[in-house]
Amino acid sequence: MPASDICINKLIFPFNKPIMRNVLIPTDFSERSLQLVERTLEVLDDQPLTITLFHAFDLNGFAEDALGSKRRLPHAHLLTDSFRNSCKRIKEKNSKLLKGIFVKHLCGNTSPLFRNFVDANDIDIIVAPLSHPFVRVTPQSIDPSSLFEKSGIPVMKSLARKRTVVYSAAPLAETAAVLIN
């Protein structure tokens, strides 16, 4: 095989490089929701991750802002210094695998709008365990569950680590010896 083919193959198929995952996690801007980030890092270990913390708001609640109001968005107060510092601590603690934590919101509740959001942010997987129900933080908050289901993106509803059972041949051989005798 010519050397140029090997170089091309290495560029096209980098076997030794792990795949970067872009994970979407719903948030209510609380410390509890950041526990979901830490648990996700444990379950998806050995995979470099970029995490997008996500909250959806009803577009009707932002009618004045769409028209150019100078007021702050009603959810700006939710992004507290405590929440930001906790995100920073998680990123520093897991700097080897966690490439970034981003907080993003969506104003609207249609499937095409959410699909555009997912495509623009390159989301590979959505982590929305049943054990962490939706929490409405403002009157404009929207439960994103139906958007997640219709998006076509895999949704992790449980954060259980897959276990690999390894059977040793030694106990099997001992059992077979006892049965034969």
Side-chain angles (χ1 to χ4, degrees):
M1 176 179 283
S4 61
D5 289 344
I6 295 170
C7 291
I8 290 172
N9 287 341
K10 284 185 180 178
L11 291 174
I12 295 174
F13 303 106
F15 292 111
N16 58 352
K17 189 173 182 179
I19 297 173
M20 170 74 83
R21 294 270 185 189
N22 294 317
V23 181
L24 182 102
I25 300 176
T27 186
D28 59 2
F29 306 100
S30 70
E31 299 291 326
R32 183 177 166 271
S33 68
L34 292 178
Q35 291 173 358
L36 198 53
V37 172
E38 292 175 339
R39 185 72 183 117
T40 300
L41 288 164
E42 290 172 13
V43 171
L44 298 176
D45 63 346
D46 299 334
Q47 295 183 38
L49 301 174
T50 298
I51 293 180
T52 301
L53 296 171
F54 171 82
H55 196 86
F57 296 95
D58 185 15
L59 188 60
N60 294 332
F62 298 106
E64 293 176 2
D65 295 312
L67 296 174
S69 171
K70 300 289 185 208
R71 292 185 313 148
R72 282 176 34 146
L73 293 174
H75 62 279
H77 68 283
L78 299 171
L79 203 55
T80 63
D81 287 338
S82 170
F83 184 80
R84 283 190 196 107
N85 289 335
S86 295
C87 288
K88 191 181 286 188
R89 270 193 301 276
I90 291 170
K91 186 171 183 314
E92 289 169 357
K93 179 179 161 188
N94 301 288
S95 62
K96 192 172 187 180
L97 294 176
L98 184 58
K99 303 304 177 192
I101 298 178
F102 304 98
V103 180
K104 298 189 178 183
H105 67 277
L106 178 70
C107 293
N109 62 352
T110 64
S111 295
L113 182 65
F114 182 69
R115 186 65 205 175
N116 287 341
F117 177 89
V118 164
D119 288 343
N121 291 285
D122 249 356
I123 301 299
D124 300 314
I125 191 164
I126 299 170
V127 175
L130 300 173
S131 61
H132 284 73
F134 168 73
V135 175
R136 184 178 299 272
V137 293
T138 70
Q140 294 89 12
S141 293
I142 297 171
D143 184 353
S145 304
S146 63
L147 297 173
F148 295 165
E149 294 300 323
K150 295 175 187 175
S151 70
I153 303 295
V155 179
M156 286 181 66
K157 294 183 180 182
S158 169
L159 284 177
R161 183 181 288 214
K162 289 185 180 178
R163 295 198 171 125
T164 305
V165 178
V166 178
Y167 294 100
S168 171
L172 183 61
E174 291 170 7
T175 305
V178 169
L179 291 175
I180 293 173
N181 292 331

